[in-house]
Amino acid sequence: MSSRDKILAALKKNQPALVELPVLNFAGNASIDLKEQFTKTLTGIGGLVIEVNNWKDIVKHIQSKFPKPDRIVNRVAHLNFESDGLAYSSEISNKPDQQAGQKSDPHDFSNVTVAIMKGEFGVAENGAIWLTDKDMGDQALPYICEHLVLIINKNSIVPTLHEAYEKIGSSTYHLGTFLAGPSKTADIEQSLVLGAHGSKSLIVFLIN
Amino acid sequence: MSPQNKTHAELADKFNRDVERVNWHDQTLWFVREKRDKAAHKIAEWEQLREAASQIKNNVLSNLHDYLVEFEQNALRNGIHVHWASNAQEHNEIVHSIIKKHNVAHLVKSKSMLTEECGLNEYLHQQGVEVVDTDLGERIIQLANEPPSHIVMPCIHWKKEEIGELFHQHLGTPKGNADPQFLTAAARAHLREHFLTSRVALTGVNFGIAETGEFIVCTNEGNADLGVQLADVHIACMGIEKIIPKRNHLSVFLRLLARSATGQPITTYSSHFQKPREGQEMHIVLVDNGRSERLASDDFRNALKCIRCGACFNTCPVYRRSGGHSYHTAVAGPIGSILAPSFDMKKNADLPFASTLCGSCTNVCPVKIDIHDQLYKWRQVLVKNGHTTASKKVEMNVMSQVLSHPMIYKFSGSVGRWVMRTLPFMVNNKFNPWYKQREMPEASTTSFNSWYQNNRKA
């Protein structure tokens, strides 16, 4: 008998009588200012939230935050660093319309200073942003870059994770993630340090 | 592992010799407990969430067979290799066989209490494979050749000056530098090299979803993700009880997990692995190791609901003042004390007694495990099976005689009071464990019974 069959047989024999699943009836308070709660929560866990009116503003913000990045990888076609007449260049990596899960060598991104990509939506209660491999291009990019920039629609923010999973529904992906703030650790005497292994900072732009 | 054949009380005694350090340990953990409270109190429906989580887990335990079959089917469809391990040995062999197939001698690993339970690092070391733990806390204790003392904060017992010295020896940081920011940066640079050169990455699993065949890994540091996304092979090790039925059940568990663990609203990264990326090989190892057997026990089944948040550690007055290593098992604290006896009743017979039964663990548990009740029930099982010390047996027999005979009870009470008043040295000495670290109270001249008789009318 294989281990699989042994384990399954033991479970069948030992599991108690069926207990029904509960009916989940949770909903966040949609009447509060979701944008404000999202901003407050994400700021509280080390992120920076900036509301902008247009794509050009995002370019300007990035340039002032990162005057001389070694390498900037931009996954958002709307952002155009060159055409705005600014002395700044970025590479558009893995065009956003490319198929997800495409093969690239993730090690090639080890020297990326800034990575810019879109997120699907935000969650007000915990400051998290949902994104999938389709947004990332290379799945290593949001983790290996030194600084991460995410752009979400300001009207996409949902109150809690309950609404978030409703939104995700039964969609499929290779990798989906809730990302909330820069990478961090408090393993040394509970002192909070930003930039453990992933990005050292996270900037989220809210746009219409 | 910790010194063999020493009991929790003996090891705690050693830990307690450094009073300042014990107080520091106690306060550090209580600080985390307070952060948990603040986060929980912000959620009006917190108690309903705990109840929902508990009910989902009850359903899981009553239908584990079908959920695992469903998970396997969906995971296979997603292109994930699924392995089954009956015990720790088989788990270790499966992991080794995958590593061997890829002909590597080096892998990065993020936190997984299951691999601690199975002794994977030692096993792979014997096979000539070097495991690099990448969670900062785990890397620290790995360099120091110690087991974790806490499931969420593995090196909570280490002071920054000691970590500075450890890094000076192993990573070449300047002697005397104990700045957490600096030391974290040094670890980041050191581990980045390992991330970039490892072809195999191993992770634990927080939740497996039957409905979708995906699994979720939560970290703050991003070490699991970085390891996995830079490796050709991802091996995920999961206890079979980590299954939940549906993706949207995560909304309940992810709202509870980080708030209970550290008071954060969510971990920085909650990664959902559904399919391997192109060219990557993804394996999941489903491990039983005693879980299916435990499922048969009405008294102890509930411990399988645990989501490993560590809230019961941070709140426990005994854990905070005795340190994780006193528990001499991979999982310490209150939850470890009810898990360990089923692995080895004789070796872990002391652990259910390492508690005051105050019930605080049960009150903070996000999935409502009746931890303190189980501690109490384990004591009964252990005594019935003869796993208690001879002195405890004698004490218990005397107590049961005294408590079941009112005359003897009254008489011994008056003797006790007389002794405490007239011969205090008889109780105020090192042979009386109640005298340790505390003054004995002044004995009353009357018994409660006579006081009650005199005062009942007033």
Side-chain angles (χ1 to χ4, degrees):
Chain A
M1 208 171 172
S2 70
S3 290
R4 175 189 184 276
D5 295 345
K6 252 194 287 181
I7 294 167
L8 288 174
L11 292 175
K12 198 151 216 179
K13 182 166 147 261
N14 292 342
Q15 66 194 21
L18 187 69
V19 179
E20 289 300 320
L21 271 173
V23 179
L24 297 189
N25 197 13
F26 294 101
N29 184 353
S31 65
I32 58 161
D33 187 335
L34 295 173
K35 200 173 66 190
E36 190 191 306
Q37 202 199 352
F38 174 83
T39 304
K40 202 176 144 200
T41 312
L42 185 52
T43 307
I45 51 178
L48 177 64
V49 183
I50 302 172
E51 193 176 347
V52 292
N53 295 316
N54 53 54
W55 296 96
K56 214 170 172 172
D57 284 351
I58 298 179
V59 172
K60 280 186 191 149
H61 274 292
I62 292 174
Q63 282 178 326
S64 77
K65 289 272 169 207
F66 308 104
K68 279 185 179 162
D70 282 343
R71 187 177 168 200
I72 188 162
V73 174
N74 171 27
R75 293 263 314 136
V76 184
H78 280 96
L79 287 183
N80 195 327
F81 289 88
E82 290 81 11
S83 71
D84 291 327
L86 300 157
Y88 207 69
S89 74
S90 75
E91 55 184 295
I92 300 269
S93 141
N94 309 320
K95 280 182 192 148
D97 57 357
Q98 228 173 305
Q99 281 296 305
Q102 79 284 30
K103 205 169 177 176
S104 60
D105 185 350
H107 297 85
D108 292 346
F109 297 99
S110 64
N111 59 353
V112 171
T113 321
V114 184
I116 308 164
M117 57 192 74
K118 276 189 185 173
E120 303 282 328
F121 62 88
V123 185
E125 69 156 330
N126 56 24
I129 293 132
W130 174 254
L131 64 159
T132 73
D133 50 276
K134 293 185 189 73
D135 304 301
M136 300 170 188
D138 191 289
Q139 288 179 199
L141 196 53
Y143 310 104
I144 203 169
C145 63
E146 218 168 309
H147 304 279
L148 179 63
V149 174
L150 293 176
I151 304 168
I152 61 169
N153 187 304
K154 64 177 87 170
N155 299 314
S156 75
I157 300 167
V158 296
T160 71
L161 282 179
H162 305 295
E163 292 81 7
Y165 277 102
E166 223 164 88
K167 221 166 168 166
I168 295 166
S170 58
S171 59
T172 59
Y173 38 74
H174 291 253
L175 170 69
T177 193
F178 282 110
L179 202 154
S183 121
K184 57 171 155 305
T185 182
D187 273 341
I188 301 179
E189 276 200 20
Q190 283 296 294
S191 302
L192 182 69
V193 179
L194 301 183
H197 297 300
S199 76
K200 293 176 178 173
S201 76
L202 171 71
I203 304 176
V204 176
F205 288 104
L206 304 178
I207 192 168
N208 248 328
Chain B
M1 297 302 280
S2 299
Q4 296 295 305
N5 307 322
K6 282 237 162 81
T7 65
H8 176 274
E10 288 163 340
L11 293 163
D13 200 31
K14 204 173 134 209
F15 185 76
N16 270 271
R17 275 174 215 157
D18 187 344
V19 175
E20 209 178 298
R21 193 184 191 93
V22 176
N23 289 341
W24 165 77
H25 189 262
D26 179 23
Q27 282 156 14
T28 307
L29 286 151
W30 186 251
F31 171 66
V32 183
R33 154 78 209 254
E34 286 178 323
K35 285 200 291 183
R36 173 257 173 217
D37 288 350
K38 264 183 220 150
H41 295 162
K42 273 189 199 156
I43 308 290
E45 62 275 27
W46 182 258
E47 288 306 316
Q48 289 95 300
L49 283 170
R50 285 180 70 212
E51 184 56 33
S54 170
Q55 286 181 23
I56 295 168
K57 284 283 183 177
N58 285 338
N59 166 270
V60 167
L61 296 184
S62 74
N63 199 27
L64 201 45
H65 174 279
D66 287 4
Y67 288 144
L68 279 166
V69 171
E70 187 186 353
F71 176 81
E72 181 190 37
Q73 263 172 10
N74 288 322
L76 289 171
R77 194 173 304 141
N78 293 339
I80 305 174
H81 300 267
V82 181
H83 310 261
W84 299 74
S86 284
N87 51 41
Q89 176 72 21
E90 194 176 1
H91 161 266
N92 294 345
E93 286 167 7
I94 290 169
V95 172
H96 183 229
S97 72
I98 300 167
I99 296 166
K100 216 167 135 188
K101 197 181 90 187
H102 290 274
N103 203 20
V104 298
H106 167 256
L107 74 146
V108 285
K109 179 174 124 212
S110 68
K111 199 169 331 135
S112 152
M113 291 318 298
L114 178 66
T115 60
E116 293 286 339
E117 174 188 319
C118 294
L120 179 71
N121 283 19
E122 294 85 344
Y123 177 85
L124 289 180
H125 182 73
Q126 283 158 19
Q127 313 299 320
V129 178
E130 190 206 353
V131 179
V132 176
D133 281 322
T134 57
D135 173 83
L136 175 58
E138 290 224 276
R139 186 60 181 157
I140 290 167
I141 53 167
Q142 188 180 38
L143 291 174
N145 202 19
E146 271 188 10
S149 72
H150 188 294
I151 56 175
V152 173
M153 301 168 283
C155 70
I156 193 73
H157 60 295
W158 274 71
K159 294 213 172 192
K160 60 182 184 217
E161 292 77 15
E162 295 159 346
I163 297 168
E165 181 56 30
L166 185 80
F167 278 20
H168 170 65
Q169 284 167 24
H170 290 270
L171 310 183
T173 55
K175 197 169 174 65
N177 194 326
D179 174 41
Q181 183 99 34
F182 176 82
L183 296 176
T184 302
R188 179 185 169 103
H190 156 71
L191 286 165
R192 190 54 77 100
E193 277 313 300
H194 287 285
F195 284 125
L196 288 168
T197 53
S198 289
R199 286 170 49 214
V200 176
L202 192 143
T203 69
V205 171
N206 290 88
F207 305 97
I209 316 295
E211 177 188 45
T212 57
E214 72 194 305
F215 56 91
I216 283 75
V217 181
C218 304
T219 74
N220 279 323
E221 298 186 3
N223 56 318
D225 296 286
L226 201 49
V228 163
Q229 298 309 341
L230 289 170
D232 302 332
V233 184
H234 177 183
I235 307 171
C237 301
M238 173 176 137
I240 52 175
E241 82 283 17
K242 291 290 173 74
I243 288 279
I244 58 173
K246 292 182 185 305
R247 185 187 273 169
N248 74 4
H249 290 147
L250 284 169
S251 64
V252 172
F253 291 106
L254 292 184
R255 291 189 81 189
L256 290 166
L257 179 62
R259 288 185 175 99
S260 296
T262 59
Q264 293 170 253
I266 190 169
T267 48
T268 305
Y269 305 100
S270 308
S271 301
H272 301 46
F273 296 96
Q274 194 171 23
K275 297 173 192 170
R277 57 170 207 272
E278 198 182 309
Q280 186 200 33
E281 210 176 281
M282 197 181 272
H283 297 262
I284 186 143
V285 189
L286 301 170
V287 184
D288 182 345
N289 204 31
R291 289 162 174 77
S292 61
E293 203 179 312
R294 173 183 287 261
L295 197 60
S297 161
D298 288 338
D299 284 343
F300 302 121
R301 172 188 307 128
N302 274 349
L304 293 171
K305 290 158 76 178
C306 178
I307 57 172
R308 303 287 192 268
C309 70
C312 60
F313 288 56
N314 307 339
T315 200
C316 178
V318 175
Y319 174 83
R320 281 187 276 118
R321 302 203 134 263
S322 59
H325 289 160
S326 298
Y327 293 77
H328 56 78
T329 56
V331 180
I335 185 70
S337 300
I338 60 173
L339 289 171
S342 65
F343 288 124
D344 188 335
M345 215 189 273
K346 189 163 172 247
K347 199 172 143 237
N348 300 314
D350 54 323
L351 295 182
F353 295 91
S355 163
T356 62
L357 302 183
C358 73
S360 186
C361 46
T362 304
N363 288 334
V364 297
C365 177
V367 291
K368 292 195 166 183
I369 301 171
D370 52 340
I371 304 175
H372 75 294
D373 286 337
Q374 291 197 37
L375 286 164
Y376 177 62
K377 285 172 185 167
W378 267 117
R379 292 181 184 186
Q380 296 171 30
V381 171
L382 290 161
V383 171
K384 268 186 204 144
N385 287 280
H387 294 299
T388 41
T389 57
S391 63
K392 189 155 231 134
K393 255 182 248 169
V394 173
E395 282 165 29
M396 287 297 163
N397 282 334
V398 171
M399 277 312 277
S400 108
Q401 283 297 315
V402 171
L403 294 175
S404 55
H405 297 92
M407 289 306 290
I408 304 180
Y409 176 77
K410 270 186 197 164
F411 175 70
S412 51
S414 67
V415 170
R417 284 190 300 279
W418 182 82
V419 168
M420 284 178 76
R421 281 197 314 272
T422 39
L423 307 165
F425 58 87
M426 290 284 285
V427 284
N428 296 353
N429 62 52
K430 65 181 171 137
F431 298 106
N432 174 13
W434 290 99
Y435 183 64
K436 260 198 276 180
Q437 292 164 344
R438 62 169 87 72
E439 295 294 326
M440 295 304 281
E442 209 171 295
S444 163
T445 47
T446 56
S447 70
F448 172 75
N449 199 27
S450 55
W451 176 89
Y452 184 70
Q453 295 294 339
N454 291 335
N455 287 276
R456 65 189 300 188
K457 283 186 189 100

